[in-house]
Amino acid sequence: MRLSRYFLPVLKETPAEAQIASHRLMLRAGMIRQQAAGIYSWLPLGLRVLRRIEAIVHEEQARVGHIPMLMPTLQPADLWRESGRYDDYGQEMLRITDRHKRDLLYGPTNEEMITDIFRAHVGSYRELPLTLYHIQWKFRDEIRPRFGVMRGREFLMKDGYTFDVDRDGALHAYNRHMLAYLRTYERMGLTAIPMRAASGPIGGDDTHEFLVLASTGESEVFYDQAVCDLALGDREVDHDDPAAVRAVCDEFTQLYARTDETHDEAAFAAVPEDRRRVGRGIEVGQIFYFGTKYSEPMGATVVTPDGARVPVHMGSHGIGVSRLAGAIIEASHDARGIIWPEGVTPFHVGIVNVKQGDMAADSACDGIVNALTARGLEPLYDDRDERAGAKFATMDLIGLPWRITVGPRGLAQGLVELTCRRTGQAEEMSPEAAVARVAGIYARA
């Protein structure tokens, strides 16, 4: 992609309404534009990040055998009346009446609809376990939307729903989701800590939130510092082995980590004093086991081997896809702009031509673009007729992890410069070596 032909409306000034780093930088980098309070258009650069995040979520759900689908944004109110939540949910729910006087709502979550789909098509224990999920826009009418996409009214979310014949099966599904989510966040360059939390309007007794530590987080958190050193890395786990999956989950949840709603001062005092931490966290996902809360009132049952008909045990598991874009920026930025981890960067590498119109520099940039593209990478080539300083500032602002700088002086010696956005370290090498280095980095990412 040539920047001269791309739509990237960067802002030089920081918008006055932006209170936190992610909101400021998403607006300045031309990722989003506010259309109404808490409602944003995702501009081309922002959409590319959103799609990268979505792709990782899909891949990790597929890894553990979950099945994608798509449910509508609007839902019949009668389903929520069946579950008893229509009147209980409160003013965050946007209620709508269509031209035929039917009550609808813009879905804040999908427990009722997925239960309705399940009960229409599944009737035997032989068809279980089953996990269905989708990535869809949701709406919650926040009284004070703020912090950009971190606390907007419209947001993109992955929500998955598990169906099992008993509690043991449902808790394995719960643990499997915890494992999948841990791997998902690690691939995005995040340390997301599973913390014992409160269930809120979803319901149920077993729930963990995944929180990214940040001073701008909405939740106060209490944790053992040692939990920050845990990582899945490249280890392989048999997702169909309940004991193996539970062992990994126990590893990540045995150390103290709780939100303020479930904080236990006595238990926290048992943590070694030098490891006790109090901070703030950004919620980027949550998993719930709620048993038969929805299946019982809505009649979602299966026949067991002995011929009995029982309500299925359910759970729901969400990841804030659009919120993650902001959370990643909160965790990874500096005074000059965003610093994207390789897993979610909108473009793999930026190419800066410091002397546009110079025949050798133009030709070298074209060659680098073609070589990177041939290796399956997507570069962003700044071919604008701008001074070099402005081009570097743009690249720093939008945060691509790697930059190749091409100019006549270096080319005279057969060299270009490869710069790491995170460390600022630059190294001169041949164009071929720069392409190979970048391709190797993404092969390992």
Side-chain angles (χ1 to χ4, degrees):
M1 177 61 67
R2 291 174 179 263
L3 196 48
S4 63
R5 302 176 188 170
Y6 198 55
F7 182 62
L8 186 67
V10 297
L11 305 177
K12 292 183 179 179
E13 303 298 326
T14 299
E17 73 273 17
Q19 298 175 291
I20 62 172
S22 60
H23 194 191
R24 290 195 299 270
L25 291 171
M26 291 181 84
L27 290 169
R28 285 198 57 217
M31 290 180 63
I32 58 172
R33 176 178 172 78
Q34 182 172 310
Q35 303 300 152
I39 300 174
Y40 293 87
S41 288
W42 288 77
L43 305 182
L45 193 76
L47 181 62
R48 291 181 73 91
V49 172
L50 209 55
R51 294 293 180 249
R52 299 271 193 218
I53 293 171
E54 273 190 84
I56 292 174
V57 172
H58 278 302
E59 287 163 12
E60 293 306 321
Q61 290 297 296
R63 187 199 291 249
V64 295
H66 300 164
I67 304 167
M69 60 177 298
L70 186 63
M71 290 175 276
T73 55
L74 294 181
Q75 302 181 31
D78 285 345
L79 290 177
W80 286 63
R81 292 189 176 108
E82 276 191 71
S83 72
R85 282 207 300 175
Y86 186 71
D87 294 321
D88 294 344
Y89 204 88
Q91 291 186 317
E92 285 189 357
M93 180 190 290
L94 184 62
R95 294 165 170 84
I96 303 164
T97 303
D98 69 12
R99 66 171 66 191
H100 301 293
K101 308 302 181 187
R102 288 182 291 239
D103 292 332
L104 303 169
L105 57 99
Y106 192 142
T109 183
N110 280 74
E111 283 78 13
E112 284 81 1
M113 184 168 284
I114 197 69
T115 305
D116 179 56
I117 291 169
F118 177 90
R119 69 184 177 183
H121 298 287
V122 180
S124 170
Y125 75 95
R126 293 187 180 90
E127 298 170 85
L128 301 180
L130 177 65
T131 298
L132 301 170
Y133 79 94
H134 72 160
I135 297 177
Q136 179 60 291
W137 291 97
K138 302 283 192 287
F139 191 92
R140 292 176 188 163
D141 200 5
E142 294 274 357
I143 189 170
R144 282 185 298 274
R146 53 192 177 134
F147 302 154
V149 302
M150 298 292 291
R151 192 154 187 176
R153 292 192 294 165
E154 186 182 56
F155 54 95
L156 189 62
M157 190 171 87
K158 172 264 164 184
D159 42 321
Y161 302 92
T162 57
F163 301 89
D164 290 270
V165 74
D166 56 24
R167 175 183 170 85
D168 287 346
L171 289 178
H172 173 52
Y174 182 97
N175 291 337
R176 194 174 62 243
H177 269 86
M178 182 177 292
L179 178 62
Y181 281 18
L182 289 169
R183 201 180 299 277
T184 296
Y185 298 128
E186 282 188 20
R187 287 186 58 188
M188 295 177 189
L190 292 172
T191 299
I193 303 169
M195 298 193 178
R196 177 65 67 179
S199 60
I202 301 293
D205 298 323
D206 291 276
T207 181
H208 281 84
E209 286 181 2
F210 294 81
L211 290 107
V212 174
L213 299 175
S215 60
T216 51
E218 70 271 54
S219 301
E220 187 175 26
V221 296
F222 303 80
Y223 61 98
D224 183 334
Q225 174 62 31
V227 77
C228 299
D229 299 326
L230 299 175
L232 275 175
D234 296 327
R235 74 176 98 170
E236 291 297 327
V237 182
D238 182 354
H239 305 112
D240 295 321
D241 181 344
V245 174
R246 184 172 60 251
V248 175
C249 294
D250 288 346
E251 176 188 344
F252 278 82
T253 57
Q254 65 186 351
L255 295 170
Y256 192 91
R258 297 196 179 194
T259 62
D260 53 353
E261 295 172 304
T262 59
H263 177 53
D264 182 331
E265 197 61 53
F268 189 50
V271 176
E273 187 173 0
D274 63 326
R275 294 189 346 221
R276 283 181 225 151
R277 299 289 185 274
V278 180
R280 304 202 70 80
I282 299 167
E283 182 199 339
V284 291
Q286 190 163 3
I287 56 178
F288 303 86
Y289 162 66
F290 42 66
T292 60
K293 173 180 169 65
Y294 297 93
S295 58
E296 209 160 351
M298 296 186 69
T301 62
V302 293
V303 176
T304 62
D306 59 6
R309 184 169 286 278
V310 298
V312 291
H313 286 247
M314 293 175 57
S316 70
H317 314 279
I319 285 182
V321 174
S322 54
R323 170 177 273 233
L324 270 166
I328 292 167
I329 295 172
E330 289 295 326
S332 187
H333 70 274
D334 62 16
R336 292 175 293 160
I338 301 165
I339 306 173
W340 290 116
E342 279 84 358
V344 295
T345 180
F347 294 93
H348 296 107
V349 59
I351 301 168
V352 171
N353 187 340
V354 299
K355 193 167 184 181
Q356 195 68 38
D358 179 87
M359 187 176 299
D362 292 356
S363 177
C365 287
D366 288 340
I368 292 169
V369 167
N370 292 335
L372 288 165
T373 304
R375 290 176 178 249
L377 298 175
E378 295 176 297
L380 179 63
Y381 172 24
D382 192 343
D383 63 335
R384 298 173 300 162
D385 186 17
E386 289 275 359
R387 57 187 177 83
K391 293 186 176 187
F392 293 146
T394 297
M395 286 295 176
D396 285 343
L397 174 60
I398 67 176
L400 307 187
W402 297 93
R403 185 184 78 222
I404 298 174
T405 304
V406 181
R409 186 178 303 174
L411 287 175
Q413 303 172 57
L415 300 173
V416 297
E417 187 177 79
L418 179 64
T419 304
C420 173
R421 174 69 179 88
R422 185 169 298 279
T423 65
Q425 292 181 338
E427 185 179 351
E428 289 189 322
M429 61 187 72
S430 69
E432 295 78 13
V435 169
R437 178 78 64 84
V438 172
I441 289 165
Y442 282 101
R444 298 188 299 271

